[in-house]
Amino acid sequence: MNSLTRRSFLRFGGLASVAALAPGFASFAIGGASRKVVVVGGGIGGATAAKYLRLMDSSIEVTLIEANKDYYTCFMSNEVLGGERSIDSIQFDYSGLKARGVNIVHDRVTAIDPDRRVVRTRGGQSFGYDRCIVSPGVDFRWDAIEGYDAQVAKKIPHAWKAGSQTRILRRQIEAMRDGGTVLIAPPANPYRCPPAPYDRVSQIAYYLKKHKPRSKIIILDPKDRFSKFDLFLDGWKRYYGYGTDDSMITWVSGAAGGSIESLDVKNMTIQADVESFRGDVINIIPPQKAGRIAFQAGLTNEQGWCPIDFRSFESTLQPKIHVIGDSALASPMPKGGYVANTAAKVCAAAIVADFNGSRAPQPSWINSCYSTLAPGDAISAVTIYAYRNGRIVKVEGSGGLTPLKFDAAMRAREAQYAHSWFNNITADVFG
Ligand SMILES: Cc1cc2nc3c(=O)[nH]c(=O)nc-3n(C[C@H](O)[C@H](O)[C@H](O)COP(=O)(O)OP(=O)(O)OC[C@H]3O[C@@H](n4cnc5c(N)ncnc54)[C@H](O)[C@@H]3O)c2cc1C
């Protein structure tokens, strides 16, 4: 079922250059021995890979093992926090993938045995594989901030995995008194979606300005600059009085003492480098590392991320296991959903090529990333990446940032593009 014609295959985003250089792709769905791929994690990377393996070669048996029945996208979860979107609109299930012939298993993977090529689950099931794709997202470094751990996060949410954490933070913001303070503490690089903490600040600020205008947001940041820096600051000046005595937003940079050391939940206080800050609502986004299963499977380096071959995303530490998404070390690409989505397609194409006895094709990747300053005013950054001499490089002269000079019509278009991007990528991943 669902075998592609060569022409429709070429239309898939992020794969045009891959396919053009891959003569082996002329023959899809060849018969022969069964080829088994087990995908661990059904988020953006894993779900895309499972779907595209089936689309590229329907003779491959694909099993996707995902811990949860429903997936909540992190993208647009900040709009939920700002009250501009319902949480139901970021919820997706696996019926689309099932209809494409992916064997869906809801269970938690507890072990991957690279020698026996077996994946084991908490529920006691075992799945043999010829290739395994691991896309478990990120895990948090719970030892990094004194007083902040997984248990405390139920009260002081990170909301860096969407779903129940998003709900908790939204409820707290809604319940906060007018005149209250929201503390937001982003981590140092690298972490999942570099501009998202500042998008979050903007979305919450918009809500507060409308409903609790005497409130404040303080950002406690270990960094001295961040993604789309000038564009965010310009937007905060226009909407939230940034830089004035009456600003709704205060940004404490690393140089100004923004690194945080500890949390005192009882007194709702964060001890930062120089002084302490009290919040009515506190959102700590802890430092991150690869998902736990990547450590168990021996896929991680000393920094806690997974080194890979960029042509196929095969682990350089464990043969026949591929790592995609946020856990993979794919610098200079950021850890983002669009990157996970295009990387999944490159990985799937390499596996199909290998199964069919041809060489992994020449990959390229796209990343476009939208952020919102206020409803109807969005900004974006686009980058195209190519594979050269074993490395990922930015294609010179490609992509770019939204111009800093404010143009209302262009910004309104960017906001429309942002929502259209969300509709397209979620259909591409789960549809
Ligand atoms: C607030 C916010 C906003 C964002 N906005 C954007 C955006 O606008 N654009 C963009 O491109 N990116 C955005 N991102 C980043 C994007 O969400 C991530 O980069 C993307 O989800 C990474 O995909 P992944 O497959 O690596 O991980 P995930 O999508 O997190 O998927 C991992 C999956 O693996 C499952 N899993 C983990 N371990 C196991 C196990 N042992 N057994 C079974 N299942 C397991 C998890 O349940 C989860 O479903 C945003 C992130 C945040 C936090």
Side-chain angles (χ1 to χ4, degrees):
M1 66 184 288
N2 286 322
S3 270
L4 285 183
T5 61
R6 183 171 172 79
R7 195 202 280 148
S8 58
F9 175 75
L10 290 171
R11 282 209 301 264
F12 288 126
L15 272 175
S17 62
V18 169
L21 296 175
F25 279 118
S27 56
F28 293 108
I30 57 168
S34 92
R35 287 89 57 90
K36 290 187 181 159
V37 179
V38 174
V39 182
V40 177
I44 302 305
T48 308
K51 171 177 166 179
Y52 274 81
L53 279 167
R54 293 286 304 160
L55 282 173
M56 289 175 193
D57 186 338
S58 59
S59 72
I60 299 175
E61 198 182 312
V62 181
T63 300
L64 172 69
I65 311 177
E66 162 57 45
N68 301 309
K69 288 249 159 70
D70 291 306
Y71 179 84
Y72 291 85
T73 61
C74 286
F75 9 100
M76 298 296 165
S77 65
N78 287 336
E79 267 193 5
V80 176
L81 296 178
E84 297 293 308
R85 169 183 284 275
S86 77
I87 191 132
D88 299 347
S89 72
I90 60 168
Q91 180 183 6
F92 296 87
D93 68 21
Y94 293 90
S95 51
L97 294 187
K98 212 172 185 174
R100 292 186 181 281
V102 177
N103 175 29
I104 306 287
V105 176
H106 289 295
D107 205 341
R108 181 163 287 279
V109 173
T110 47
I112 303 171
D113 182 337
D115 298 326
R116 293 195 175 81
R117 292 201 201 154
V118 171
V119 172
R120 295 182 211 288
T121 68
R122 184 178 284 168
Q125 305 181 78
S126 300
F127 300 86
Y129 64 81
D130 298 302
R131 295 278 174 162
C132 179
I133 301 177
V134 178
S135 190
V138 290
D139 218 331
F140 299 110
R141 295 183 183 275
W142 292 119
D143 54 351
I145 299 160
E146 198 187 319
Y148 193 57
D149 59 25
Q151 198 55 32
V152 177
K154 290 179 184 158
K155 185 165 177 227
I156 309 289
H158 49 74
W160 221 240
K161 294 187 184 184
S164 59
Q165 281 277 308
T166 316
R167 283 196 185 91
I168 297 170
L169 186 53
R170 172 65 190 156
R171 274 201 295 268
Q172 291 180 351
I173 293 163
E174 274 184 297
M176 189 179 83
R177 68 188 164 93
D178 187 11
T181 299
V182 181
L183 299 181
I184 299 184
N189 294 317
Y191 61 93
R192 160 177 280 186
C193 201
Y198 312 97
D199 174 84
R200 176 170 290 179
V201 167
S202 309
Q203 306 261 13
I204 294 175
Y206 182 76
Y207 167 80
L208 294 177
K209 186 177 165 183
K210 212 156 103 186
H211 299 281
K212 302 166 195 211
R214 292 187 297 120
S215 307
K216 301 284 179 203
I217 300 175
I218 301 175
I219 310 164
L220 297 172
D221 204 334
K223 303 184 289 298
D224 291 330
R225 227 185 136 74
F226 49 81
S227 174
K228 303 177 191 157
F229 187 77
D230 296 328
L231 283 161
F232 273 114
L233 262 47
D234 176 68
W236 294 349
K237 277 180 197 152
R238 279 186 292 112
Y239 295 109
Y240 312 116
Y242 187 76
T244 66
D245 289 347
D246 199 27
S247 177
M248 176 172 271
I249 300 171
T250 302
W251 175 57
V252 185
S253 68
S259 292
I260 70 172
E261 289 169 4
S262 61
L263 167 74
D264 176 348
V265 191
K266 205 164 140 240
N267 294 306
M268 290 295 280
T269 305
I270 284 180
Q271 180 61 51
D273 249 4
V274 179
E275 52 178 309
S276 67
F277 295 83
R278 212 201 143 273
D280 296 274
V281 172
I282 299 181
N283 171 217
I284 293 180
I285 304 162
Q288 293 153 35
K289 57 184 177 181
R292 179 183 304 177
I293 192 66
F295 287 83
Q296 181 284 327
L299 296 165
T300 49
N301 68 7
E302 280 170 5
Q303 284 72 47
W305 302 105
C306 304
I308 46 159
D309 173 282
F310 299 129
R311 204 174 172 111
S312 62
F313 286 74
E314 185 168 1
S315 165
T316 55
L317 303 176
Q318 302 289 358
K320 311 287 182 202
I321 303 182
H322 300 244
V323 185
I324 55 174
D326 292 346
S327 283
L329 251 182
S331 172
M333 297 199 291
K335 297 187 183 301
Y338 203 1
V339 167
N341 174 258
T342 44
K345 294 172 187 174
V346 167
C347 173
I351 290 175
V352 171
D354 186 61
F355 280 161
N356 290 329
S358 53
R359 197 169 132 68
Q362 177 85 12
S364 67
W365 300 266
I366 306 168
N367 183 37
S368 67
C369 171
Y370 294 93
S371 305
T372 297
L373 301 168
D377 182 351
I379 53 179
S380 67
V382 176
T383 319
I384 313 286
Y385 300 92
Y387 175 85
R388 297 223 175 96
N389 304 322
R391 296 176 54 215
I392 299 174
V393 294
K394 287 186 188 177
V395 174
E396 253 181 62
S398 71
L401 270 179
T402 304
L404 186 56
K405 193 168 174 324
F406 179 71
D407 171 340
M410 176 190 263
R411 296 301 181 85
R413 270 199 309 275
E414 291 269 42
Q416 281 177 350
Y417 294 156
H419 290 129
S420 154
W421 175 85
F422 172 78
N423 293 337
N424 289 332
I425 194 166
T426 51
D428 187 44
V429 175
F430 295 106

